[in-house]
Amino acid sequence: MPPPHSQSIPPSINVERTSTPSTTSQLQPHDAPETPLSPTEFHQARNRTPIHMIVWRWMQGPNPPRDVTFTPLFAEYQDLPLRLLYRGRLKQRRWQLGLLIIFWFVWLTTFITVIHNSRFISKVNGQDPYFLSCTSVLWSKNHLCGIDGEYCRPFVNSTIPFRCPAGCLGTNALNPRAVGEQIVAYRPLVIGGPFGNSNDRLLEDAVYRSDSFICSAAIHSGLISNRYGGCGIFSLAGSQSYFPSSKHHGISSIMFDATFPSSFNFLSGVNTPHCHDLRWHLLAVSLVFTILSSLFITSIPIFFASVFTGTFFHVGLASDPPFTTNPYELISISLSRFLPAAFCAFVIYKYAVTYTLSLTPQYTVEKTLYWLTCLWIGALNNITLDPIIPIYRLTGRDLRQQPNAITALVIVVLILLVIVLVQAHFFRQTGRMPKYLLAYFSFGAGLSLLAAIPGSALRIHHYILALLLLPGTRLRNRASLFYQGLLVGLFINGTARWGFAGIIETPESLRGRNGLYFSTLPRLVTPEIPPAGNNVTFFWEDVTTRGWEEGVSVVINDVERFRIDGASGAVTWNRTKLAEGAWEKVYVRVGYWGTGEMGDYTAAGVVEEDGTWRAPGSGRT
């Protein structure tokens, strides 16, 4: 019997409708089953849909959107560092804050100690050394030292204590430099070296032309090492008639077989305390503290701010610092660049990093392995990517001159294209493709407008490339952790090393002090050499000029010797007789000057010892 106040369901009422077999004769017209479209009817229906609607629906991705967050490996072990640390009192917020402050203090103290010993207390025989860059020279190219080198004196009787940074072995001359009839580019500019073959007296015997890179020459002579840099004293040795070629310590020097008025050598037995560049020691310190930050700091904003700040000052003060002769000025430069970089870092964090790194503690180890490792690869760009990607400037002429640059550019573009397509696929899966396509269309339109500004050129620097590509890493897959870390590192390297250079630059700023103008060139003709061979009269012919040319500069043996008014003319040069009785070789180059500036020079014509003339080849310097 049913309980009181309950009602039984009458048997005539069906509680659940069940389907029963039916026949066609039992169906009503409105109950007719849907008939599948034939292939022909399907294509006709699709053809009636506008193509842009088909594309738009495809771009919107699946509905509902899919979660592309990757599954962590060994998830139960990845949060082990956090479980080991945050126990007992460290579960409380105030104890965690105290530990964080102690951590920052130890990091800062260690960093300052290493930097202080690396840069600020070096001495050379009790004197403060003169800080050099890897490209510092005593003599400037072509006309920049004036007639007979007047602006680059003295040539002898001067000694200077100096200090070189680490890593100068791979420093190359990026603009063409003339050394006799050779045109040197994309190799170390070291002219000369030891006269003997013995490594025991390499330092004492080595003499270098004064337009050699001083620090590269110091490595070649064995005075300093590439890994730690070092200090020394160079002495001006005056005129030399021959500079031999040799290969030592990874550098092949260049031979020059004519007289040059200025040279230098290095003194031995010099006391140089605290002269090692400790950037590798500091790298170990920075790696340890950034890895600890990634493993134990659970707050994403605190983690990102700590790592960004530590890496920025590591680059700006140690691994790739801007050149300055005063080490204390490095602090000023780094601080001045850090403020705008911090603002950009906030934007990067808000629109890219915070989403990608919003992962549970089960991703801690993989976040460290992927994101932080790639950040350091990008931040150390000068020793990680630059040596394997031989692209210094993205101009047509530079790419044609740089060895393997076009091949490297094609490979990089293809890799980027694959990465873009893969990332676009994941954005479609998450339903965000239309929004990001619109953003990148806006970026492209803005860059096109900037490129169209007359009298200037678009220059995509490290930090600009990173800012453009970082929005495309706002995903939670493994690849995005790689790409995002690398791009944040490139942004840090670009701003800490070079500052916020303009995205638009003039041809003058792109060319620099030693670049080519691609100006008109005079034409050297066969000179007159008397039978005695004691002098040579050089002639040059006028060519079609552009109106700015007022005269011709004549460079003999890589030293400017004459400036002659007019587009054509002649000069006579007295040859020097060598000790063995033969006449010295003579290398001559000519170039136009006018309106207060100097144009390019021809390649060198050569007068041999026996008076034979070799006309200049193609090229300009």
Side-chain angles (χ1 to χ4, degrees):
M1 177 179 294
H5 307 293
S6 68
Q7 297 180 350
S8 61
I9 301 175
S12 60
I13 300 178
N14 294 324
V15 177
E16 181 178 358
R17 185 174 181 177
T18 60
S19 58
T20 58
S22 59
T23 62
T24 305
S25 59
Q26 295 172 320
L27 293 174
Q28 299 299 322
H30 61 274
D31 292 328
E34 294 184 2
T35 302
L37 295 177
S38 67
T40 303
E41 292 172 329
F42 173 78
H43 286 296
Q44 290 175 349
R46 189 179 68 173
N47 291 337
R48 287 193 296 268
T49 304
I51 187 65
H52 69 274
M53 291 301 301
I54 297 175
V55 174
W56 175 254
R57 289 171 183 170
W58 178 85
M59 288 168 50
Q60 288 179 317
N63 188 17
R66 296 174 185 170
D67 184 6
V68 298
T69 303
F70 68 96
T71 302
L73 302 173
F74 307 105
E76 63 274 19
Y77 299 108
Q78 292 206 35
D79 63 341
L80 184 61
L82 298 173
R83 287 187 274 123
L84 291 176
L85 178 65
Y86 294 111
R87 297 183 298 177
R89 291 185 175 181
L90 285 178
K91 290 182 179 180
Q92 302 177 27
R93 179 78 63 178
R94 60 194 182 102
W95 285 95
Q96 294 176 8
L97 178 60
L99 180 62
L100 179 64
I101 293 174
I102 294 173
F103 174 77
W104 282 342
F105 177 78
V106 174
W107 186 356
L108 181 63
T109 303
T110 309
F111 186 91
I112 292 175
T113 301
V114 178
I115 282 289
H116 177 73
N117 285 279
S118 176
R119 290 198 170 272
F120 297 95
I121 57 175
S122 54
K123 296 290 182 181
V124 178
N125 284 350
Q127 303 179 54
D128 292 329
Y130 186 82
F131 281 73
L132 304 179
S133 74
C134 290
T135 58
S136 294
V137 295
L138 298 171
W139 187 286
S140 301
K141 67 180 289 189
N142 294 338
H143 66 286
L144 295 175
C145 279
I147 303 294
D148 298 328
E150 184 64 29
Y151 304 146
C152 295
R153 293 181 181 273
F155 299 157
V156 292
N157 299 326
S158 180
T159 58
I160 301 174
F162 68 93
R163 174 169 179 174
C164 290
C168 290
L169 179 65
T171 301
N172 297 325
L174 301 183
N175 292 305
R177 297 291 294 268
V179 181
E181 61 181 324
Q182 304 175 70
I183 298 179
V184 177
Y186 301 105
R187 61 174 294 185
L189 187 63
V190 178
I191 308 163
F195 287 90
N197 295 322
S198 172
N199 287 328
D200 296 335
R201 292 188 54 81
L202 179 60
L203 180 60
E204 291 81 357
D205 293 340
V207 179
Y208 301 92
R209 218 171 80 165
S210 285
D211 53 350
S212 301
F213 292 160
I214 299 172
C215 292
S216 297
I219 294 174
H220 181 264
S221 71
L223 176 67
I224 66 173
S225 71
N226 178 64
R227 179 177 292 272
Y228 296 115
C231 300
I233 296 178
F234 64 78
S235 175
L236 297 178
S239 177
Q240 301 288 331
S241 60
Y242 182 70
F243 297 86
S245 172
S246 62
K247 182 174 182 179
H248 296 283
H249 305 108
I251 294 179
S252 295
S253 65
I254 303 163
M255 185 269 293
F256 181 66
D257 54 352
T259 299
F260 197 82
S262 181
S263 64
F264 66 91
N265 57 12
F266 300 106
L267 304 184
S268 59
V270 178
N271 184 28
T272 58
H274 303 292
C275 275
H276 280 172
D277 189 325
L278 302 180
R279 64 181 61 185
W280 293 104
H281 301 72
L282 191 63
L283 177 60
V285 171
S286 297
L287 284 176
V288 166
F289 282 97
T290 52
I291 290 172
L292 291 176
S293 298
S294 182
L295 292 176
F296 294 106
I297 297 179
T298 56
S299 169
I300 300 173
I302 294 177
F303 159 72
F304 181 71
S306 301
V307 170
F308 183 90
T309 303
T311 309
F312 185 93
F313 284 102
H314 176 90
V315 173
L317 297 177
S319 69
D320 198 9
F323 171 64
T324 173
T325 58
N326 183 352
Y328 290 95
E329 191 177 352
L330 275 180
I331 301 174
S332 174
I333 294 173
S334 295
L335 288 173
S336 67
R337 293 175 178 177
F338 178 71
L339 185 60
F343 171 77
C344 293
F346 171 76
V347 177
I348 292 171
Y349 166 78
K350 182 175 178 62
Y351 293 101
V353 173
T354 184
Y355 179 86
T356 304
L357 296 187
S358 294
L359 301 167
T360 63
Q362 283 70 34
Y363 293 84
T364 299
V365 174
E366 286 192 83
K367 176 191 72 174
T368 304
L369 184 62
Y370 305 147
W371 194 90
L372 188 63
T373 299
C374 288
L375 178 137
W376 276 109
I377 292 174
L380 301 176
N381 173 62
N382 57 312
I383 59 176
T384 55
L385 301 179
D386 273 355
I388 63 175
I389 303 178
I391 301 175
Y392 297 99
R393 290 176 299 207
L394 286 174
T395 65
R397 292 191 181 100
D398 286 312
L399 288 173
R400 288 190 293 271
Q401 291 177 353
Q402 298 169 37
N404 302 317
I406 295 178
T407 302
L409 180 62
V410 171
I411 294 173
V412 169
V413 170
L414 291 177
I415 292 174
L416 285 177
L417 180 60
V418 171
I419 291 174
V420 167
L421 292 177
V422 172
Q423 290 295 95
H425 165 73
F426 283 110
F427 274 112
R428 178 180 175 272
Q429 295 293 307
T430 60
R432 292 181 287 162
M433 177 182 271
K435 180 173 70 173
Y436 278 83
L437 284 179
L438 178 62
Y440 277 99
F441 176 80
S442 302
F443 292 163
L447 293 175
S448 300
L449 292 175
L450 292 173
I453 297 176
S456 60
L458 187 67
R459 187 80 183 274
I460 306 296
H461 298 277
H462 289 62
Y463 79 95
I464 297 174
L465 181 67
L467 291 176
L468 289 174
L469 297 182
L470 271 167
T473 66
R474 198 172 188 267
L475 292 164
R476 295 195 190 107
N477 55 1
R478 286 187 175 90
S480 293
L481 288 176
F482 278 106
Y483 308 147
Q484 189 176 103
L486 181 66
L487 292 172
V488 172
L490 285 175
F491 173 82
I492 292 172
N493 179 270
T495 53
R497 173 63 178 90
W498 305 104
F500 288 84
I503 191 172
I504 292 295
E505 295 190 22
T506 62
E508 291 76 17
S509 63
L510 285 173
R511 181 176 62 244
R513 190 167 180 253
N514 295 317
L516 296 175
Y517 290 83
F518 296 94
S519 59
T520 52
L521 295 173
R523 183 183 298 111
L524 276 169
V525 297
T526 304
E528 288 184 359
I529 305 175
N534 60 319
N535 60 58
V536 183
T537 300
F538 295 105
F539 301 90
W540 55 91
E541 295 178 345
D542 187 11
V543 296
T544 303
T545 57
R546 301 174 183 173
W548 65 274
E549 300 88 346
E550 298 178 12
V552 172
S553 168
V554 182
V555 171
I556 295 177
N557 293 342
D558 297 340
V559 180
E560 187 181 27
R561 298 297 186 179
F562 305 97
R563 288 189 188 178
I564 308 298
D565 292 333
S568 61
V571 296
T572 299
W573 175 253
N574 294 321
R575 301 175 74 187
T576 301
K577 182 167 279 191
L578 302 176
E580 55 269 24
W583 292 107
E584 183 182 52
K585 266 187 180 182
V586 178
Y587 300 96
V588 59
R589 296 180 288 125
V590 292
Y592 287 119
W593 61 269
T595 62
E597 293 190 9
M598 197 72 64
D600 298 333
Y601 288 80
T602 63
V606 185
V607 178
E608 301 284 1
E609 294 93 335
D610 60 0
T612 304
W613 166 251
R614 282 195 287 115
S618 60
R620 58 180 66 226
T621 58

